[in-house]
């Protein structure tokens, strides 16, 4: 069944180890899954990867669909004499959620080693303890010395991510690490699969960037490589709905996000209206969304003479932690909107989105 294939891809991608700058497992999987549906696969020198589906039209416009492969994680900064690992964060994380959690180290041989983040048992607490900073935490992998740690192939500079299995919670809701943004990676693969037999008026560049979580670093190189006329970013955003709906901050099960503003980009009114017309025409569940954060769109839309960019997103609870909770119906709504948005692109409406067409 189609849904089973999607869930298998989600499980596979979310359980891969891909901290910022160390995305090779995800990149290899993306290449494997995209290759049957594209004419070629291209990469930047930073490691971002895109599949190219060419139009039969001459001088076709270029459309970029960009996810990002990396997840929040950590890098080892010290190995103590008694075998504990200290680390620094890669990406934005809160200090107060890591104590007692299981994390997974990937050593230089590609082996995975699970440990537990240290915490002070209640028996030994004085009541005056402050929340430790990330640099003060330690990962316990059961080693008795620094020599034992190194004998297991672990060195300073190796990376750590949460150790979290993909889990079904209810009929429509699941939990996983790295749904931000393996969501976009799944969608990139599946949009190519859905459009494999469709002749488009545009050249389609679909894939994923590196190092989004540490400052949108991979997107600039990808945009310069592809030189897109317009772009779609597929990314996951935080939901703020555990106490009910909170204005425009995301609610599980309410559909794909129409992200009208964030900390790095404002959706142009022309692109907004293009998406809203498709949502109405094809009865796609959607919700307006505003975020204080940003996406790779923050870099892409400023490139060259300007690249009209929209984010086709979903929201999830508790992102940038050990687990995220999401609703699979939101994923399917986002997939349908992206499919229709790409399928209905023409030279004329691309020129309109680029402010090269007269107002009607």
């Amino acid at each position: 069944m189609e849904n089973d294939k999607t869930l298998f891809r989600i499980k596979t991608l979310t359980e891969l180890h891909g901290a910022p700058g160390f995305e090779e497992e995800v990149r290899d999987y993306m290449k494997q899954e995209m290759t049957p549906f594209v004419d070629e696969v291209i990469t930047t020198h930073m490691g971002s990867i895109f599949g190219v589906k060419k139009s039969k039209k001459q001088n076709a416009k270029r459309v970029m669909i960009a996810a990002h492969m990396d997840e929040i994680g950590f890098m080892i900064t010290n190995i103590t004499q008694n075998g504990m690992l200290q680390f620094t964060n890669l990406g934005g994380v809160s200090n107060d959620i890591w104590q007692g959690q299981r994390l997974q180290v990937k050593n230089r041989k590609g082996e995975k080693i699970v440990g537990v983040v240290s915490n002070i048992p209640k028996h030994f607490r004085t009541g005056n303890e402050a929340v430790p900073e990330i640099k003060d935490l330690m990962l316990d992998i059961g080693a008795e010395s620094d020599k034992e740690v190194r004998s297991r192939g672990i060195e300073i500079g190796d990376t750590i991510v949460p150790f979290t299995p993909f889990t079904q919670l209810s009929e429509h809701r699941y939990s996983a690490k790295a749904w931000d943004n393996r969501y976009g990676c799944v969608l990139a693969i599946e949009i190519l699969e859905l459009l494999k037999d469709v002749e488009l008026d545009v050249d389609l560049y679909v894939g994923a960037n590196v190092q989004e979580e540490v400052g949108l670093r991979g997107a600039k190189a990808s945009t310069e490589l592809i030189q897109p006329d317009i772009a779609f970013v597929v990314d996951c955003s935080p939901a703020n709905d555990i106490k009910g709906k909170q204005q425009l901050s995301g609610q599980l099960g309410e559909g794909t996000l129409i992200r009208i503003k964030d900390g790095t980009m404002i959706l142009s009114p022309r692109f907004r209206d293009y998406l809203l017309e498709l949502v109405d025409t094809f009865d796609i569940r959607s919700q307006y969304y505003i975020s204080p954060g940003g996406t790779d769109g923050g870099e892409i839309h400023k490139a060259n003479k300007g690249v009209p960019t929209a984010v086709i997103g979903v929201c999830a609870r508790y992102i940038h932690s050990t687990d995220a909770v999401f609703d699979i119906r939101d994923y399917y709504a986002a997939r349908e909107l992206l499919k229709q948005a790409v399928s209905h692109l023409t030279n004329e409406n691309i020129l309109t989105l680029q402010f090269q067409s007269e107002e009607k």
Side-chain angles (χ1 to χ4, degrees):
M1 292 175 61
E2 179 192 355
N3 288 3
D4 292 339
K5 185 191 291 185
T6 296
L7 291 174
F8 178 77
R9 284 172 170 155
I10 293 172
K11 173 179 171 59
T12 301
L13 274 162
T14 56
E15 292 182 357
L16 291 177
H17 195 292
F22 297 80
E23 299 94 346
E24 59 275 3
E25 287 185 22
V26 187
R27 180 167 50 253
D28 290 347
Y29 184 81
M30 294 287 289
K31 183 176 182 180
Q32 168 193 305
E33 292 293 297
M34 292 191 302
T35 296
F37 310 125
V38 297
D39 299 305
E40 63 175 321
V41 173
I42 61 174
T43 57
T44 69
H45 295 170
M46 293 181 70
S48 302
I49 186 168
F50 287 82
V52 185
K53 176 181 167 64
K54 287 284 190 179
S55 173
K56 290 182 178 178
K57 285 200 166 187
Q58 294 293 318
N59 302 314
K61 300 291 187 184
R62 296 185 176 193
V63 176
M64 178 182 189
I65 298 175
H68 70 84
M69 292 181 278
D70 56 316
E71 62 187 294
I72 58 95
F74 306 94
M75 178 181 283
I76 296 171
T77 57
N78 186 42
I79 301 171
T80 67
Q81 285 188 332
N82 65 339
M84 305 290 276
L85 308 180
Q86 293 179 288
F87 47 86
T88 187
N89 56 296
L90 295 172
V93 298
S94 298
N95 292 339
D96 60 348
I97 60 172
W98 301 102
Q99 294 181 81
Q101 300 290 345
R102 290 189 180 189
L103 306 181
Q104 183 185 76
V105 180
K106 182 179 179 181
N107 71 14
R108 309 220 173 158
K109 300 175 185 176
E111 298 166 337
K112 311 290 175 56
I113 298 98
V114 175
V116 178
V117 180
S118 60
N119 68 94
I120 303 171
K122 182 174 177 59
H123 314 66
F124 302 142
R125 291 179 184 252
T126 66
N128 298 317
E129 290 82 8
V131 174
E133 297 181 33
I134 297 298
K135 65 181 178 62
D136 298 320
L137 296 174
M138 291 188 285
L139 186 66
D140 187 344
I141 62 167
E144 297 183 36
S145 68
D146 55 344
K147 289 182 180 179
E148 182 181 342
V149 171
R150 290 191 162 93
S151 74
R152 297 171 73 177
I154 297 172
E155 295 289 346
I156 290 171
D158 289 345
T159 55
I160 304 170
V161 298
F163 180 65
T164 308
F166 174 65
T167 305
Q168 183 167 7
L169 303 177
S170 64
E171 181 180 0
H172 301 297
R173 294 186 177 179
Y174 297 80
S175 69
K177 76 170 182 64
W179 187 232
D180 175 17
N181 182 34
R182 305 294 156 70
Y183 147 73
C185 295
V186 176
L187 184 50
I189 294 164
E190 296 202 334
I191 202 68
L192 285 169
E193 185 175 36
L194 287 170
L195 296 173
K196 68 180 187 298
D197 298 321
V198 178
E199 291 298 332
L200 299 173
D201 289 344
V202 298
D203 289 342
L204 204 54
Y205 292 75
V206 184
N209 292 314
V210 296
Q211 298 190 46
E212 190 269 356
E213 296 292 3
V214 288
L216 319 183
R217 296 177 186 176
K220 188 174 191 295
S222 298
T223 309
E224 290 176 352
L225 172 67
I226 293 168
Q227 298 287 310
D229 292 287
I230 71 165
F232 296 92
V233 171
V234 283
D235 205 345
C236 176
S237 304
N240 184 26
D241 67 343
I242 59 173
K243 295 182 180 179
K245 191 172 184 178
Q246 306 290 320
Q247 295 186 350
L248 304 182
S249 57
Q251 188 170 7
L252 297 196
E254 290 298 307
T256 187
L257 306 180
I258 306 294
R259 179 185 280 244
I260 53 178
K261 174 184 177 292
D262 66 26
T264 63
M265 192 184 81
I266 298 170
L267 178 62
S268 82
R270 296 185 185 197
F271 221 147
R272 177 202 64 205
D273 293 347
Y274 176 69
L275 296 177
L276 290 176
E277 183 177 348
L278 292 169
V279 161
D280 290 341
T281 300
F282 295 97
D283 194 26
I284 301 168
R285 197 164 180 81
S286 67
Q287 54 186 312
Y288 284 113
Y289 188 80
I290 290 177
S291 174
T295 72
D296 277 337
E299 279 294 323
I300 294 168
H301 85 287
K302 298 183 295 186
N304 306 326
K305 294 186 291 184
V307 180
T309 302
V311 180
I312 306 293
V314 295
C315 62
R317 296 172 182 163
Y318 328 125
I319 67 171
H320 287 215
S321 72
T322 57
D323 255 303
V325 173
F326 63 92
D327 193 308
I328 195 67
R329 294 170 294 186
D330 297 336
Y331 169 78
Y332 291 128
R335 192 179 69 179
E336 182 64 17
L337 177 55
L338 184 61
K339 176 187 171 186
Q340 298 301 339
V342 171
S343 301
H344 286 82
L345 285 173
T346 63
N347 279 354
E348 182 181 11
N349 57 29
I350 289 174
L351 289 173
T352 299
L353 293 173
Q354 292 178 322
F355 287 82
Q356 294 190 56
S357 178
E358 294 293 329
E359 292 277 5
K360 295 183 179 180

